[in-house]
Amino acid sequence: MSANATEEDFALAGSLVREAGALALAMRSEGLTGKQKTSVSDVVTAADHAAEKLVLETLRRLRPEDGILGEEGASHQGTSGRTWVIDPVDGTYNFLSGSTYWCSALALRADSGPDGTDEDPGVLLGAIYQPQEDRLWLGGPGHPATLNGAVLDPVEDTGLDRLSAGTYLHPTWLTREDVAGPWTRAAAGAATLRMLGSGSCDLGSVAAGRLGAWFQHSCPEWDWLPGKAIVEASGGTAAVLEVNGFRWHIAGPATAVREIQHRLSGT
């Protein structure tokens, strides 16, 4: 299989995030508790594992040559030059808290480099589904960014000072000047800030114009690639910048992304 995404891949991705999101929501309605991972706000539930298992098993059956990487441990080395990246529940703290601001997300990336990855791999498609709001975003190279099947208007190029900026910074990082300093410089340039707790929902909102721009440090692939694909497909810009040894992930209109980069780096 060639290292690109077909219309069948987009249809499969949309179906899988819908199914994973619906399963997680059904399990929550039956009662769930969370298990702490790295902090009280970084949690995992049985729904995360069940939703990832559903996606994993379907991909192994329908795309056996493709690789798989999942947030909750799913891993398969493929031979096709493509890898599916799974985030079964993004925004688990919100999910457990009863908020609707969570989603299931999936990306298909092109493998490169000796270990099958690079610093910011090319992404072939992104799919994000917010179950309780019934919002399905799809997008990627050669496929326009859509929300519930409707093509999104192109991202309008605008300066940061005219935009809301979605972001996230765990409270423990506020005492780290090497992270809090760049974050504060970037945040200070926005018209207003939003810290909502799901990176993929945020990035879908950037593509749809609900949020103006977005930036966050140290994002794993499953928190970055689905939304990156959709933002770029909607005419926005996505970038990764290293500052003080930390990699910052940035998305939005081209002008705002450049301004965030300058502010993060202090230039």
Side-chain angles (χ1 to χ4, degrees):
M1 184 174 291
S2 61
N4 54 30
T6 66
E7 285 302 314
E8 289 77 14
D9 291 325
F10 279 94
L12 175 60
S15 174
L16 283 173
V17 291
R18 279 189 178 276
E19 292 176 19
L23 174 60
L25 184 58
M27 291 181 68
R28 189 181 74 175
S29 70
E30 297 168 0
L32 284 171
T33 57
K35 180 179 179 181
Q36 183 171 317
K37 294 166 75 174
T38 63
S39 71
V40 70
S41 62
D42 182 18
V43 291
V44 64
T45 72
D48 295 75
H49 291 292
E52 181 164 293
K53 183 172 184 286
L54 181 156
V55 176
L56 170 66
E57 291 180 347
T58 303
L59 289 174
R60 291 292 293 122
R61 185 175 73 253
L62 298 180
R63 298 291 188 272
E65 297 178 355
D66 290 347
I68 297 172
L69 174 67
E71 179 180 12
E72 307 308 334
S75 180
H76 172 69
Q77 185 67 44
T79 59
S80 66
R82 316 185 324 168
T83 294
W84 295 86
V85 181
I86 309 167
D87 194 346
V89 177
D90 179 48
T92 304
Y93 189 83
N94 288 350
F95 172 71
L96 271 178
S97 302
S99 168
T100 66
Y101 205 79
W102 61 275
C103 65
S104 292
L106 187 63
L108 178 62
R109 66 163 164 80
D111 298 334
S112 60
D115 60 352
T117 63
D118 60 28
E119 288 190 354
D120 190 23
V123 60
L124 306 174
L125 69 78
I128 299 168
Y129 183 58
Q130 193 176 353
Q132 291 177 268
E133 304 294 337
D134 191 28
R135 291 179 182 147
L136 173 65
W137 290 273
L138 287 170
H143 188 289
T146 61
L147 175 56
N148 293 344
V151 176
L152 294 170
D153 292 334
V155 170
E156 182 180 350
D157 195 20
T158 309
L160 181 61
D161 64 347
R162 308 293 298 175
L163 298 175
S164 62
T167 186
Y168 181 73
L169 188 69
H170 192 275
T172 56
W173 288 105
L174 290 171
T175 60
R176 290 278 304 267
E177 177 58 28
D178 51 352
V179 171
W183 182 86
T184 300
R185 290 195 299 268
T192 188
L193 295 177
R194 300 289 181 263
M195 197 176 295
L196 301 171
S198 167
S200 286
C201 287
D202 288 348
L203 288 163
S205 295
V206 170
R210 295 174 183 268
L211 275 176
W214 182 88
F215 64 98
Q216 185 174 324
H217 77 87
S218 306
C219 292
E221 289 186 59
W222 45 79
D223 284 340
W224 172 238
L225 295 183
K228 173 189 174 183
I230 296 165
V231 169
E232 290 182 332
S234 70
T237 296
V240 177
L241 175 70
E242 184 169 320
V243 180
N244 299 333
F246 292 89
R247 298 175 74 238
W248 290 85
H249 299 72
I250 312 157
T255 296
V257 168
R258 287 194 300 271
E259 291 173 357
I260 292 170
Q261 289 177 302
H262 288 314
R263 285 177 170 272
L264 288 169
S265 61
T267 60

